Amino acid sequence: MATVTEVLTRKPNNIAIETTPDHQLIVVYATPPEPGPNECLVHVRATGICGSDVHFWKAGKIGTSIIDRNLGLGHESAGVVVKAGSDVQRLKIGDRVAIECGIPCSKPTCEACRTGRYNGCKSIVFYSSPPVHGTLRRYHAHAEDWLHPLPDSISFEEGALLEPLSVALAGIDRSGLRLGDPLVICGAGPIGMVSLLAAHAAGAAPLVITDIDEYRLAMAKSLVPRVRTVKIEPNQGAEENAERVKQALGREAQLVLECTGVESSVHTGIYACKFGGAVFIIGVGKDFQQIPFMHASIREIDVRFQFRYRETYPKAITLVSEGLIDLKPLVTHRFPLEEGKAAFEAATTPSAKAVKVQLLDD
């Protein structure tokens, strides 16, 4: 491993990938930041492109978060500590870490923080959420308390994937999934794939995953051979697609994890659910959507939502390091940091058949 001095000397520029209010992607060169007293400067070695990064680039907003100035993207990152602030105690130079990008206020007057639901903190700083720049950059200064040490058995690529895995784990935790619960996962994108891996480890059975892309369904099958796959037909109605889902599952679903945010997919999930079941919506979609209200009402189907995660990184690290979840196959495309634009093009071009695109910096 190169020394800290060698890294900073050999790569003095802090390259970052940003999006602009007019939907451009730009590569920015700057000087590395100096870490504060309680911060570490991390050489970011791997960062994944998330659907929200693409959404900010293409749509210019997610909900009330609006791109009104240039914004650095990225929040799925892992790297190595190259500098430590004067008050840093737990970490040292050379430590390999995963970056948890949501930093709450942690004040006792904040109900969300005080009750342990810090993902709901109104003052949370989330890197890559406007106006805070993200971690898709070479060097990033981050609070020590929100850096998670990685064992040698977990690569930087896997460390970056702990963020989407955290989303899946949060949804599964809140859903109350139990051994033997019949489960449907809508969407075989990155969040759907990690949800599949987590649900398999949690003992959901039987398992069905849906998508419109046969390649992604085949990949899901390679990850978890026992999963049953259903190709969603866009020209069919949600009730028709739900019938095919139930046939594949062999029953109605106790739980649906909706990982697309697409309105028609949400409808399919609701129609596939049993009386008293639940549909957990994890995916990001349009600001306003319709649902089959009365169908959900007379069948007592809970429609719930998941916002990010809390206290999931330690669990995610344990599950990966113990071999219960294998994240390695999810990275299908790799680009050097300087080729950020090409990476985003691959992530949004169907013919590229990308599942998870990562930008790497040696």
Side-chain angles (χ1 to χ4, degrees):
M1 177 186 294
T3 67
V4 172
T5 301
E6 288 171 339
V7 171
L8 291 172
T9 300
R10 178 167 54 91
K11 297 192 171 187
N13 291 321
N14 191 18
I15 301 174
I17 311 301
E18 298 184 357
T19 188
T20 68
D22 60 347
H23 311 292
Q24 302 298 311
L25 283 174
I26 58 175
V27 181
V28 177
Y29 295 83
T31 57
E34 283 295 323
N38 297 298
E39 292 182 329
C40 294
L41 184 66
V42 178
H43 176 203
V44 181
R45 297 289 301 276
T47 301
I49 295 177
C50 175
S52 63
D53 295 320
V54 173
H55 211 79
F56 276 132
W57 167 38
K58 295 283 191 178
K61 68 170 191 170
I62 296 178
T64 57
S65 295
I66 300 172
I67 304 293
D68 58 5
R69 68 195 76 176
N70 290 7
L71 178 76
L73 298 170
H75 54 265
E76 301 178 5
S77 296
V80 59
V81 174
V82 293
K83 279 187 181 181
S86 58
D87 295 337
V88 169
Q89 298 180 356
R90 182 172 54 92
L91 296 172
K92 64 184 185 302
I93 292 171
D95 282 350
R96 303 165 68 256
V97 293
I99 302 173
E100 183 171 352
C101 280
I103 301 181
C105 72
S106 298
K107 294 178 180 178
T109 53
C110 173
E111 181 181 2
C113 291
R114 188 177 67 249
T115 58
R117 302 187 70 176
Y118 65 79
N119 56 324
C121 171
K122 294 181 180 179
S123 301
I124 196 168
V125 171
F126 196 89
Y127 290 93
S128 80
S129 182
V132 183
H133 289 304
T135 57
L136 186 41
R137 58 189 59 243
R138 176 167 288 155
Y139 300 111
H140 170 71
H142 203 77
E144 177 193 26
D145 289 346
W146 302 94
L147 293 172
H148 301 274
L150 291 175
D152 291 340
S153 60
I154 296 182
S155 68
F156 291 119
E157 292 185 11
E158 292 170 286
L161 283 165
L162 295 175
E163 201 279 343
L165 177 57
S166 285
V167 175
L169 293 179
I172 286 175
D173 279 349
R174 288 192 62 231
S175 72
L177 177 69
R178 298 173 298 178
L179 284 166
D181 277 351
L183 172 68
V184 171
I185 298 171
C186 296
I191 295 297
M193 294 286 197
V194 291
S195 296
L196 172 63
L197 292 170
H200 171 60
L207 269 170
V208 162
I209 191 167
T210 73
D211 205 274
I212 60 173
D213 189 317
E214 291 182 348
Y215 170 79
R216 290 194 170 193
L217 291 175
M219 184 174 180
K221 190 76 172 175
S222 71
L223 292 174
V224 178
R226 71 180 179 88
V227 72
R228 305 163 190 181
T229 61
V230 174
K231 184 178 184 295
I232 295 298
E233 300 296 340
N235 59 341
Q236 290 186 346
E239 291 183 81
E240 293 175 287
N241 279 316
E243 285 301 318
R244 294 170 53 238
V245 168
K246 289 186 287 186
Q247 288 176 13
L249 194 66
R251 67 206 74 184
E252 295 175 315
Q254 174 67 38
L255 174 67
V256 175
L257 296 179
E258 208 301 308
C259 300
T260 74
V262 175
E263 185 173 303
S264 59
S265 182
V266 174
H267 294 183
T268 297
I270 291 173
Y271 285 125
C273 204
K274 67 179 291 186
F275 186 97
V279 176
F280 251 78
I281 301 174
I282 301 173
V284 174
K286 295 186 300 183
D287 288 356
F288 292 92
Q289 300 192 28
Q290 295 181 325
I291 64 169
F293 180 90
M294 284 310 301
H295 179 87
S297 175
I298 64 176
R299 293 175 64 81
E300 289 190 0
I301 295 171
D302 293 336
V303 180
R304 304 178 66 186
F305 295 84
Q306 179 62 43
F307 182 64
R308 294 179 185 154
Y309 42 81
R310 66 179 189 276
E311 300 295 343
T312 50
Y313 267 79
K315 182 185 292 187
I317 290 169
T318 298
L319 289 168
V320 175
S321 63
E322 292 288 329
L324 289 171
I325 291 179
D326 182 9
L327 298 174
K328 296 183 187 71
L330 297 181
V331 182
T332 55
H333 293 65
R334 299 166 177 85
F335 292 82
L337 182 58
E338 295 86 347
E339 297 181 16
K341 293 181 180 180
F344 271 84
E345 290 296 337
T348 55
T349 303
S351 61
K353 298 190 181 300
V355 174
K356 178 56 66 176
V357 177
Q358 285 192 348
L359 289 117
L360 311 178
D361 195 57
D362 294 332

